[in-house]
Amino acid sequence: IPWPGNTAGVAVDRTTGTLYVEVCNVGLWKSTDHGHTFRRVAEEQISSRCEFGYALNCDPASSRMACLLLDGKCGMTLNGGRTWQLFAPMGRNWEYGAVAWSDPQARAIFADRHESGGEKYVSSDAGASWQFIGKHPEFTSLGIFDAHTLVAGTETGILRSTDAGRTWSKTSPFHPVGRLAVY
């Protein structure tokens, strides 16, 4: 397996129990038998690597999934992996992100760009294009409710934006653990 080997990308489709694993630079794999066997999915479409949880972001209510990966091709499936739509490339791409799964087309995405000093981006067209909303290295977690309503965890609390990331206000005290995307 090419460097760095292994994976940080593991996700489970809660509706089917399908296990997904993104093996660094080897592709996206799935198991429907609790990890006894795996087969590659999204051949040549999704191939990269993950460094954080929620790089593989599953819809908790259906078999939709977004792959917010770095150093390769990213995208999402809205039909359980039968077809994939690629995201517009952003250089080294993403650390992790959150998708507004309440939208049947999953158009709104909030993502953290890899090794960029905290650059955050939003998409309102399912990753076909990305809008830079600022550098926020203090954000330790991301969440999204719709194209306008974003949340971010920091060391001192939860911030909320109702204007697609142009302005932020503190909502409550909170101490996040690690890098977690909430939706």
Side-chain angles (χ1 to χ4, degrees):
I1 296 175
W3 182 91
N6 301 319
T7 185
V10 178
V12 175
D13 177 339
R14 292 169 36 114
T15 64
T16 65
T18 299
L19 170 66
Y20 288 92
V21 176
E22 207 325 298
V23 180
C24 291
N25 303 310
V26 178
L28 183 64
W29 299 76
K30 81 175 187 176
S31 173
T32 57
D33 59 8
H34 306 286
H36 292 287
T37 61
F38 286 86
R39 72 176 180 85
R40 189 167 181 187
V41 296
E43 189 82 29
E44 301 302 318
Q45 293 176 322
I46 304 297
S47 183
S48 190
R49 68 182 228 240
C50 303
E51 289 194 4
F52 295 102
Y54 283 96
L56 300 183
N57 190 297
C58 292
D59 178 353
S62 76
S63 292
R64 301 181 300 170
M65 180 173 63
C67 299
L68 294 137
L69 312 172
L70 67 105
D71 292 342
K73 297 176 184 175
C74 306
M76 77 166 72
T77 179
L78 300 179
N79 57 20
R82 289 185 301 278
T83 61
W84 292 84
Q85 57 193 57
L86 295 181
F87 294 157
M90 291 293 295
R92 294 200 67 197
N93 290 320
W94 310 111
E95 294 279 4
Y96 61 98
V99 180
W101 293 118
S102 59
D103 173 8
Q105 298 306 309
R107 289 174 284 232
I109 305 170
F110 182 22
D112 179 272
R113 191 160 170 254
H114 180 68
E115 293 182 349
S116 65
E119 288 182 8
K120 303 301 185 273
Y121 290 79
V122 292
S123 175
S124 59
D125 56 13
S129 65
W130 297 95
Q131 178 183 352
F132 175 69
I133 62 168
K135 278 196 171 197
H136 296 282
E138 72 278 14
F139 291 3
T140 57
S141 57
L142 305 178
I144 187 166
F145 292 94
D146 57 44
H148 303 287
T149 311
L150 312 174
V151 293
T154 69
E155 298 272 331
T156 60
I158 298 173
L159 302 177
R160 178 180 175 166
S161 173
T162 57
D163 56 11
R166 285 187 286 284
T167 62
W168 295 88
S169 60
K170 192 168 184 177
T171 63
S172 69
F174 171 71
H175 295 286
V177 177
R179 295 185 184 263
L180 172 67
V182 294
Y183 45 89

